[in-house]
Amino acid sequence: SYVLTQPPSVSVAPGQTATITCEGNNILSKSVHWYQQKPGQAPVLVIYYNNDRPSGIPERFSGSNSGNPATLTISRVEAGDEADYYCQVWDNSSDHVVFGGGTKLSVL
Amino acid sequence: EVQLVESGGGLVRPGGSLRLSCVVSGFTFNTYAMHWVRQAPGKGLEWVASISSSRNYIYHADSVQGRFTISRDNAENSLYLQMNSLRAEDTGIYYCARDPGSDISGWLDYWGQGTLITVSS
């Protein structure tokens, strides 16, 4: 089965740039989607199809999938960005949704 | 406004059954695929099952295959998850989520707030 690997945690100071990675076999051939989950809340889609942002998501959030790893970048990080972030793909060889293990973003 | 509201959670004994419901509003339900995703306490997201708008495509995670069944009633704007032979490791919050495609695109653009399942004796 397809596996996505994320670092357990990333720390960044306010105003700096946070980069969260997502590794998977031949990930370049897949579309990567990203979700933000704050404590006690449901996940929220922040990036879809590698680098598109849903309406209402700040331009500070961007994604890239130029090869291993795919990345989620948050520019000018704010305290309110502190959350767990999950990458996700559709594995069409197994017809399964696959999530990464999640990365806890801490704003110092 | 898109809304997804799950219900049916609760405490159930190992080996028991439970049926979750997700009632949606704010969009044309019969044109969207849907998913169930769960989250064990303190753990990450785990996909459970997916169903296309017309029920032509139905998929379940290996961990629930043969025990859980996803279904939908387009006339009632409702998604369901029938859970049988429940185990302690099935404990967690269960979210329903919308797929932006009618067939399964494989990503989730709107999520409900979740319903908690606790499997314990």
Side-chain angles (χ1 to χ4, degrees):
Chain A
S1 59
Y2 194 79
V3 176
L4 292 172
T5 301
Q6 300 180 234
S9 62
V10 168
S11 298
V12 64
Q16 300 303 303
T17 297
T19 300
I20 298 172
T21 59
C22 177
E23 296 187 4
N25 184 41
N26 197 24
I27 199 170
L28 182 61
S29 67
K30 301 184 183 302
S31 294
V32 181
H33 318 288
W34 293 89
Y35 305 87
Q36 174 195 67
Q37 187 180 33
K38 296 181 179 180
Q41 297 184 20
V44 172
L45 178 71
V46 294
I47 293 290
Y48 63 99
Y49 286 137
N50 301 320
N51 56 13
D52 287 333
R53 271 178 296 103
S55 60
I57 301 301
E59 292 183 8
R60 300 184 297 104
F61 288 79
S62 63
S64 173
N65 185 15
S66 301
N68 233 354
T71 59
L72 172 69
T73 301
I74 309 172
S75 304
R76 303 181 299 283
V77 167
E78 303 174 355
D81 298 330
E82 196 163 86
D84 294 325
Y85 290 86
Y86 296 89
C87 60
Q88 178 257 312
V89 301
W90 173 257
D91 178 25
N92 52 16
S93 66
S94 62
D95 292 323
H96 282 20
V97 170
V98 178
F99 288 99
T103 298
K104 182 177 181 59
L105 176 66
S106 297
V107 181
L108 304 173
Chain B
E1 179 190 8
V2 172
Q3 288 193 327
L4 302 90
V5 180
E6 302 93 337
S7 62
L11 175 64
V12 61
R13 295 190 184 279
S17 297
L18 214 54
R19 189 195 197 205
L20 304 185
S21 299
C22 172
V23 177
V24 312
S25 60
F27 64 97
T28 306
F29 180 64
N30 63 10
T31 63
Y32 289 88
M34 298 292 294
H35 305 270
W36 286 101
V37 175
R38 68 184 180 182
Q39 187 169 36
K43 302 297 184 182
L45 301 175
E46 179 188 14
W47 169 73
V48 174
S50 305
I51 186 168
S52 62
S53 60
S54 57
R55 308 182 199 85
N56 288 346
Y57 302 100
I58 294 176
Y59 307 114
H60 296 85
D62 296 347
S63 58
V64 307
Q65 184 74 45
R67 299 188 300 123
F68 291 11
T69 302
I70 189 172
S71 63
R72 63 189 296 160
D73 185 335
N74 287 340
E76 295 293 329
N77 285 348
S78 294
L79 176 73
Y80 304 104
L81 186 67
Q82 177 65 44
M83 303 187 295
N84 300 329
S85 302
L86 282 160
R87 306 166 180 167
E89 55 264 36
D90 296 318
T91 293
I93 298 174
Y94 284 69
Y95 298 99
C96 69
R98 192 183 80 168
D99 186 299
S102 55
D103 291 336
I104 297 168
S105 301
W107 53 289
L108 299 80
D109 60 352
Y110 288 94
W111 297 62
Q113 285 304 304
T115 186
L116 176 63
I117 310 302
T118 302
V119 183
S120 175
S121 54

